[in-house]
Amino acid sequence: MIGKNAKLYVTGHSKGGAMSYITAAQLISIGHIPNSIISFAAARPGDADFANYLEDKMANREIRRYEAKNDIVPHLPPDLKILDILQEVFGNNDLSDWDYESVGNLYYYDTDADLHVPSNKLARVLVNLQRLVSLGEVIVKGEFNRIVNDHSLTTSYGPLICPDLPYG
């Protein structure tokens, strides 16, 4: 039983970040609405209905998703826009069941370590375009070690978000 004055925060990194949203949905279903959900490098946890459910239930609470540099995991599973491109390239498979979406407000650190928190639709589109172009360039150059490092808590997310802590 959670005490009346207890604050409940749900968090995780990578698959744990995706699981933080699923855990929050389960907690909400039994009457425990988290004060905040904070994910780092989370894969997309569900479809638009799932994202809308969580955002509706957490309307006056915070849902933050931190994403950094050229981390590929927050782009997985790919959204329908990317799948449409893949479908054009690789064939006419019906991929409409792959409608996964990110949840919450994006806090994105770019490759210069500048934080972007888009506050409107145009800003979100521009940041997402910047992210995809940057990631695409890294993939084309074959710099896969960079993608791995950008996903790491110790070489990317930790130093960006909590720079005063010792890492390594």
Side-chain angles (χ1 to χ4, degrees):
M1 190 75 159
I2 298 174
K4 282 188 174 190
N5 296 322
K7 291 189 177 187
L8 179 59
Y9 298 90
V10 183
T11 188
H13 172 261
S14 196
K15 184 175 21 174
M19 291 303 298
S20 69
Y21 298 113
I22 295 167
T23 300
Q26 290 176 327
L27 288 166
I28 290 167
S29 75
I30 60 169
H32 298 295
I33 300 174
N35 293 76
S36 183
I37 305 168
I38 303 171
S39 70
F40 305 90
R44 294 181 174 130
D47 63 9
D49 291 338
F50 180 79
N52 291 335
Y53 170 80
L54 266 183
E55 290 171 358
D56 179 57
K57 296 295 183 181
M58 298 278 297
N60 296 317
R61 297 167 188 239
E62 188 167 40
I63 304 175
R64 277 191 190 196
R65 60 183 170 95
Y66 284 94
E67 298 178 9
K69 304 178 185 178
N70 293 302
D71 184 357
I72 198 168
V73 172
H75 298 278
L76 301 175
D79 63 16
L80 285 178
K81 293 175 284 270
I82 300 292
L83 291 172
D84 285 343
I85 294 168
L86 294 174
Q87 200 168 1
E88 286 292 320
V89 172
F90 296 111
N92 292 327
N93 297 327
D94 180 18
L95 302 173
S96 59
D97 288 344
W98 284 56
D99 186 20
Y100 287 82
E101 290 200 13
S102 299
V103 179
N105 298 312
L106 175 62
Y107 287 69
Y108 170 66
Y109 284 93
D110 66 19
T111 56
D112 295 322
D114 293 327
L115 177 62
H116 301 268
V117 185
S119 59
N120 60 54
K121 188 172 185 169
L122 178 59
R124 281 190 296 277
V125 168
L126 292 174
V127 167
N128 283 329
L129 183 59
Q130 173 191 5
R131 293 168 60 215
L132 288 173
V133 167
S134 181
L135 178 60
E137 288 173 352
V138 170
I139 290 170
V140 167
K141 291 176 184 175
E143 297 174 339
F144 300 108
N145 195 40
R146 191 167 158 195
I147 293 170
V148 171
N149 286 334
D150 287 348
H151 182 68
S152 170
L153 276 174
T154 56
T155 61
S156 183
Y157 287 87
L160 287 168
I161 298 166
C162 301
D164 296 331
L165 295 178
Y167 296 95

